[in-house]
Each structure stands twice: as structure tokens, then as C-alpha cells.
Amino acid sequence: MPSTTLASLTTLRLGGPASDVLQVADPDDWFELVRTIGDRQEGAPLTLGHGSNVIASDTGHEGTVAVMNTRGITVKRVDDDTAAATVQAGHPLADLVQWAAAEHLAGIECLAGIPGTVGAAPVQNAGAYGQQVSDALDHLTAWDWDMGRLRTLPAQACRLRHRDSRFKNDPGRWTILTATFHLTRSPAAPITYQPLADELGVHVGARPPVAEVTAAVVANRHRRGLLLNPHGPDARQAGSVFLNPPVTAAQAARWSAAGCPVHTDSDGQLRASAGWLLEHAGYHPGRQVAAGIRCSDQRTLTLTAHEGATAVGFAQALDHLAQQVEAKTGVTLHLEPVQVGTWL
């Protein structure tokens, strides 16, 4: 019997047995893993970092699970103002942001407090407060399981869009091993998000020092219930369960007039606030949604798991929420966490 479960590898703490878990703690471990999988004549493994954006199946996963624990930052000078930071895939994204702030390097300061690893961040083109991975990513290295070799992909080839990428649209083909960011020795990027400007006490467009922005982002995320506290009452979660949904101009006008925040994303698409739409459909922080599943105590958009919760029940709860919002508003919600493992 396997001694490891997917629940032990994910922040929701749901998920059945993992038949073979291989830890990748050193870059050389990766090539040993590739040889092992080749000898077994298996396909691509299920690759996890911190498991903070996944819903793992109650059934588990029959094949190999690769857990990326590689860490490290290597810095090279590009020019007088720019540094190229190459980061191992298992390195916590939040730690990278704090390191950059300490080095007075701008480009990723608004990503402070986002859970997960550097290797997972390009898959979702992770972002917050008007900044995203694509703003600073120069290139990455990834194992291409279709071609059976290591490849270097420039940022443009990653097809990074709003919470989207080629990796998200072709699951199982790629395992990201390193990411290289170009960071600048300068004040932070211009502040574009009004709540962050308010937190800092500056006007939109201001460029405070990087460390000040990073600290303000963490403080604002804490106040909004966006920091993952592994020991708090809402510890078992996967963050926001829905993306802010795309809306038509007519929908944007209608729901904006009703009080729903609407913004234009980096791709020019109008998007409505998923959290507001859920609350408009009758949900609120702390409300129970299903057995062992409720909205977080601090925000409706985060669902938390408790005693009696199952992955199937969690997925069904999300489907129910989306149906309720669509029936009430005509807006379709799209799931943010990825379902992994074997779903029957």
C-alpha cells in the first residue's frame, strides 16, 4: 500500500493514494527521474510544487508524482540597471519576491504573498495588483515530454496571457525546471491598483521603493484574507476558486451599475469580480456550501475544506456555485484551481 496521499501534498488536504512519489530536491534529480520513468515506460508524471492551486482526486493517482523541491537563485548582470535572476522551479514564489525586494530589484514586487512555487507561476501567469509573471519573465527551461528533451523557451513562446499559458492548455507535456526573470534596479513599477495606492498612501502612477510596495502588498493581502495561513481555521484551501469572468460590454455596463467591480485585463478583456457575483447570488464569508465545505471566514471567493469534505464534494460544490451565479446573472464562472489525479 502506498504510504503517501495526494492530500499530504496539497493545501486543500484532499486526495487519495499516490502510488509513487519522487522528490526532486536537486536539479540533477530531475534527470534521474526522467531515466526512471523511461525505464518504467510511463508517460509524463503528475508534477506538483506546493499543491496550492489544485484539487486532487479522492481516487488518487496511479502513476508517478514528481514533487519539485529544487531551490536557488542565480544572478547575472545584464547591464548597469538589469539583473537576470534564474530561479529553480521548486523555489517558493513569495521567497523570490522578498529576495528581490531586499536587493532593491523591481519587476515582481506586486506578486508578494502569492502561494506556490516559481515553476507553477508561469502556468497560470500568476499576477496581482496590476502585475503578472509575464511582465518580468525573460525565458524558462522546461522538459518537453513529447520530444523527450530539455528546451529553453523565450517568454514570447510561453504564450502568456491573463491567467493562461501554453502550459495550461497542454497539460502533461511540459515540466518547468527553471525560470529567468529580468529585474531592474529602480523604484517599483507604477502603481495601477487603487487599493494598493491607498495602502501606500500614494496616488495611482506613483513609484515607491520596491520594499515598500512588497510590504504593502503583503499587508493588503492579509487584510483581505489572501494569505495562506497553514495553521488558521481556513488553512485547507486552494485560494480563489474562480477566475474573474470575462463579460460582454452589455454585461459589464449592467453589473457595474449594480455595484460589481469591472476591470479590463492585460489582454483587453472586460472582467467582472467573481467574488461580488457570488455574493450577489447569496453567498457570504463563512457560509456552508456543502458537507465539510464552506466559504472562508474572510472572503466568499475562497472555499475551505473541513471534516467530512471530499474532493468530489468540493468539485460538486464549485459546479453548484457556478450554476447559481449563471442563473442569477447570466455570467459564466471559470474554475481557477486545476483538477489532478484520476477522476471517475
Side-chain angles (χ1 to χ4, degrees):
M1 293 290 290
S3 59
T4 304
T5 63
L6 293 178
S8 69
L9 302 173
T10 62
T11 57
L12 259 177
R13 302 177 202 165
L14 297 174
S19 59
D20 190 19
V21 176
L22 299 179
Q23 301 282 342
V24 183
D26 183 271
D28 290 341
D29 292 345
W30 177 256
F31 299 99
E32 181 62 31
L33 179 146
V34 170
R35 285 191 291 271
T36 298
I37 289 178
D39 291 343
R40 296 172 178 175
Q41 297 184 327
E42 286 185 21
L46 167 61
T47 303
L48 295 175
H50 293 166
S52 59
N53 193 45
V54 300
I55 306 169
S57 162
D58 298 317
T59 306
H61 181 72
E62 292 183 359
T64 301
V65 178
V67 179
M68 302 300 292
N69 285 322
T70 53
R71 293 193 178 207
I73 304 170
T74 303
V75 184
K76 291 185 178 180
R77 179 178 176 274
V78 177
D79 56 39
D80 289 345
D81 300 318
T82 308
T86 297
V87 191
Q88 295 296 322
H91 202 96
L93 178 61
D95 287 4
L96 170 64
V97 177
Q98 291 295 337
W99 169 85
E103 295 292 323
H104 309 289
L105 293 170
I108 55 174
E109 56 277 3
C110 291
L111 308 186
I114 294 178
T117 60
V118 167
V123 178
Q124 284 279 97
N125 191 17
Y129 300 93
Q131 193 174 69
Q132 53 193 357
V133 165
S134 57
D135 293 335
L137 184 70
D138 182 73
H139 67 273
L140 54 77
T141 61
W143 187 263
D144 183 342
W145 289 96
D146 283 5
M147 300 183 69
R149 66 181 180 89
L150 189 66
R151 295 180 62 187
T152 298
L153 300 176
Q156 185 176 6
C158 298
R159 302 172 197 160
L160 302 178
R161 297 176 62 81
H162 180 81
R163 307 299 171 266
D164 198 13
S165 69
R166 74 182 300 171
F167 314 111
K168 187 174 180 179
N169 289 303
D170 198 359
R173 176 171 178 178
W174 305 93
T175 300
I176 295 172
L177 301 180
T178 68
T180 298
F181 300 89
H182 276 193
L183 307 174
T184 58
R185 200 167 299 282
S186 69
I191 303 299
T192 62
Y193 188 71
Q194 186 64 57
L196 180 55
D198 294 341
E199 189 79 40
L200 285 157
V202 302
H203 58 82
V204 170
R207 300 187 65 186
V210 173
E212 290 184 15
V213 174
T214 297
V217 167
V218 172
N220 191 264
R221 290 181 72 88
H222 176 72
R223 187 162 23 259
R224 296 168 58 209
L226 286 167
L227 293 182
L228 181 59
N229 179 357
H231 305 295
D234 293 332
R236 295 176 60 187
Q237 57 157 287
S240 299
V241 290
F242 295 110
L243 297 166
N244 287 332
V247 290
T248 65
Q251 288 174 322
R254 176 185 177 186
W255 294 115
S256 180
C260 178
V262 175
H263 72 281
T264 302
D265 69 23
S266 57
D267 300 326
Q269 170 68 57
L270 288 167
R271 290 184 178 270
S273 166
W276 188 95
L277 293 170
L278 282 171
E279 293 182 359
H280 185 71
Y283 296 90
H284 53 77
R287 174 171 170 175
Q288 182 164 326
V289 178
I293 301 162
R294 61 175 173 79
C295 297
S296 133
D297 286 341
Q298 293 184 279
R299 63 194 302 258
T300 307
L301 190 55
T302 296
L303 258 60
T304 57
H306 303 270
E307 186 176 355
T310 65
V312 166
F314 201 91
Q316 290 174 343
L318 294 177
D319 187 56
H320 176 73
L321 290 177
Q323 289 178 18
Q324 293 298 304
V325 167
E326 187 152 19
K328 184 80 172 179
T329 68
V331 177
T332 302
L333 294 181
H334 301 277
L335 191 65
E336 180 159 357
V338 178
Q339 291 181 311
V340 300
T342 303
W343 292 80
L344 302 178

